[in-house]
Amino acid sequence: MDCPVCKNAMITLELEEVEIDYCTECNGIWLDAGELELLLGEPEKAKHLLNSFKIDSKCAEKPRKCPICDKKMQKTIVGSSKPTLLIDKCRRGDGLWFDRGELHDIINRAELDKDNKIQRLLTDMFSYDLNK
Ligand SMILES: [Zn+2]
Ligand SMILES: [Zn+2]
């Protein structure tokens, strides 16, 4: 699968038995449909988070193409907290694209338990370039 941003081939990483596609160039992450829920691990919170998604039809950012179906993805606002977190979502529902740090951000916003494994793993994985 190629990165929708820089077109490099992404590598597959395994996080707690969930396979994620990761771009080593831009540090973006692709999650297939359903994988975010698996990563969050807490069904109620995952549902709450997914229900907070809002399509931003007026977004000026250039749309990206889904690495699976090659159609333009929709800019999607997560929740209502500031600063606005905007991710890319395939219209067909193939999955979600997270720019660098956004997956970590969304998991923080899901208000998971403090010792949530995925949150810790992501912090370990990306701590070198987060919080810049
Ligand atoms: Zn990339
Ligand atoms: Zn797609």
Side-chain angles (χ1 to χ4, degrees):
M1 211 187 278
D2 293 335
C3 170
V5 179
C6 41
K7 313 293 176 210
N8 279 308
M10 292 189 278
I11 60 165
T12 306
L13 296 176
E14 207 178 289
L15 272 186
E16 294 295 299
E17 294 170 15
V18 180
E19 284 193 351
I20 66 173
D21 295 284
Y22 174 64
C23 175
T24 54
E25 252 333 278
C26 65
N27 304 127
I29 290 173
W30 170 260
L31 292 182
D32 288 325
E35 288 182 339
L36 179 63
E37 292 90 318
L38 288 174
L39 281 179
L40 291 169
E42 296 179 34
E44 277 310 307
K45 287 179 181 169
K47 212 170 108 195
H48 184 71
L49 188 72
L50 292 174
N51 285 341
S52 79
F53 284 11
K54 266 196 307 284
I55 305 298
D56 185 0
S57 50
K58 292 189 294 272
C59 182
E61 267 182 45
K62 196 167 162 259
R64 294 184 171 133
K65 286 186 179 166
C66 172
I68 293 180
C69 66
D70 210 35
K71 299 244 163 38
K72 281 178 188 162
M73 293 192 279
Q74 288 175 313
K75 297 285 173 191
T76 302
I77 300 168
V78 179
S80 53
S81 42
K82 302 281 172 190
T84 305
L85 174 58
L86 204 59
I87 62 171
D88 297 271
K89 182 174 180 288
C90 168
R91 288 164 205 263
R92 288 199 325 179
D94 293 329
L96 303 167
W97 172 256
F98 299 89
D99 287 322
R100 185 172 81 174
E102 288 177 351
L103 180 59
H104 192 261
D105 198 352
I106 202 173
I107 283 175
N108 282 338
R109 289 176 197 222
E111 292 168 5
L112 300 173
D113 295 341
K114 283 221 166 26
D115 58 349
N116 182 277
K117 255 191 235 160
I118 293 298
Q119 203 163 8
R120 275 212 314 269
L121 280 172
L122 284 171
T123 306
D124 290 349
M125 254 173 83
F126 301 116
S127 52
Y128 59 93
D129 58 16
L130 285 171
N131 308 318
K132 262 188 192 169

